Amino acid sequence: MTAADQRGTIRLLIGEAGNRAAVEALLEGHYEVETEQAVGEADCYLIDDHTFPEYHRDLRERVEESYPVFCPVIVIRRRDSRLRISLPDPDEREPPLLVDEIVDAPIDRNVLFRRLNTLLTRRSQSKELRHYIARLEESNRSLEQFAYAASHDLQEPLRMVSSYLQLIEQRYGAELDQDADEFLAFAIDGADRMSAMIDGLLEYSRVDSEGDPLEPTDLNAVLEDALTDLMVMLEEHDADVRVEPLPRVEGDPDQLRQLFQNLLSNAIEYNGTGTPEIRIESERVGSRWRLSVSDDGIGIEPGDQERIFEIFQRLHSHEEHAGTGIGLALCKRIVERHDGRIWVESEPGEGATFTFTLPAVDGP
């Protein structure tokens, strides 16, 4: 594979004492080579150990400016080198690293070409990935704007439909027959459910764009607020919620309150016929906290355990269980905004455990 295949250029920052002409001749016909003795735009930099100190600062600026797109630097180290240059340990500092490869002189042509090809391929893939990510982010922004605009613009005509349906029911209810009463009730219920779906879609579209900055957050206080919001529902179902002391995490308190509220309300809604028993636990795993909300409800089929986190996916009819099909999708989006993940473990009839991870906060 040549540099032309990889659409890359190699800039030689090699002095005359480093046999610049010989290295250029070695690369010609195989790579696109630039010999201007200044750090400029290039896909890879080949430098010798004696001139390395001269270009060190400019190379550092170039590599850091390019990051996170990979910008490789290879140092040719001579036998008589008075400089002690070695590859840095990737664990010793944050990326980007300045020196990616060292090739000892006299140069083994095959070794040099193999390393150049590897680094140029990695840079090409890095550029393509960044381009893909940029397009994906732009697409996500466009979808969020569309969802927000569509949901917002639908609210007013829907409110009008709902209001006039209720007005018809109030004014002419006594004059309608049983079928008309039933049709009107279906229409009002449909309008109410659509309104709830639009509210959920608006909330879903705002998770990234209108969330508060992440900050050290006490989950005990967050959960207390969520339980207060659900007080009526908890009392109606005589739910038993058992909570271990919860940690502090890096998070958005309002969104985490919504996360707990959605998981708790689901645990109550899908409890079945008994008294809901819900457990909330936490465990430290490395730099994250793993939190779980467990219930003793109807459970979830294995084949449905990924699908339930997709927007508008429902496993039950509206007659069986209320809901918009957005709640768990919203939970997933909130957790992902916190750089975590969420999943469920369940067996039908054996309850469900929803587990999610959040970044830990160390220190006071």
Side-chain angles (χ1 to χ4, degrees), residues 106-124:
I107 296 174
D108 183 319
R109 179 177 180 273
N110 291 329
V111 170
L112 177 61
F113 281 19
R114 185 165 60 248
R115 293 182 181 177
L116 282 171
N117 291 344
T118 298
L119 294 174
L120 286 169
T121 298
R122 182 178 165 191
R123 173 166 172 81
S124 177

Side-chain angles (χ1 to χ4, degrees), residues 230-298:
L230 293 171
M231 185 180 298
V232 173
M233 187 179 191
L234 292 167
E235 291 178 350
E236 285 180 349
H237 292 81
D238 195 24
D240 179 16
V241 181
R242 302 178 184 179
V243 185
E244 291 186 353
L246 299 180
R248 295 170 73 245
V249 300
E250 196 75 19
D252 178 336
D254 285 341
Q255 290 186 350
L256 295 179
R257 177 191 55 76
Q258 183 67 63
L259 171 64
F260 275 115
Q261 188 171 322
N262 285 1
L263 293 177
L264 287 167
S265 60
N266 275 1
I268 297 171
E269 174 67 32
Y270 295 96
N271 173 67
T273 58
T275 298
E277 293 185 3
I278 304 167
R279 301 180 309 280
I280 301 176
E281 302 170 314
S282 62
E283 176 188 10
R284 179 71 181 258
V285 181
S287 63
R288 300 189 174 279
W289 281 97
R290 180 181 295 169
L291 296 109
S292 62
V293 178
S294 303
D295 63 56
D296 60 347
I298 62 176

Side-chain angles (χ1 to χ4, degrees), residues 12-65:
L12 299 185
L13 300 176
I14 297 176
E16 292 296 343
N19 297 320
R20 183 199 314 162
V23 176
E24 182 181 358
L26 180 68
L27 299 177
E28 280 184 346
H30 299 278
Y31 299 93
E32 183 179 339
V33 180
E34 296 180 351
T35 57
E36 182 181 353
Q37 295 296 284
V39 175
E41 295 288 333
D43 292 294
C44 181
Y45 297 86
L46 193 58
I47 187 168
D48 71 277
D49 49 7
H50 284 197
T51 56
F52 183 73
E54 177 184 348
Y55 294 104
H56 182 277
R57 186 180 67 180
D58 290 344
L59 271 176
R60 169 65 66 193
E61 291 178 356
R62 166 65 178 155
V63 169
E64 291 184 348
E65 181 182 273

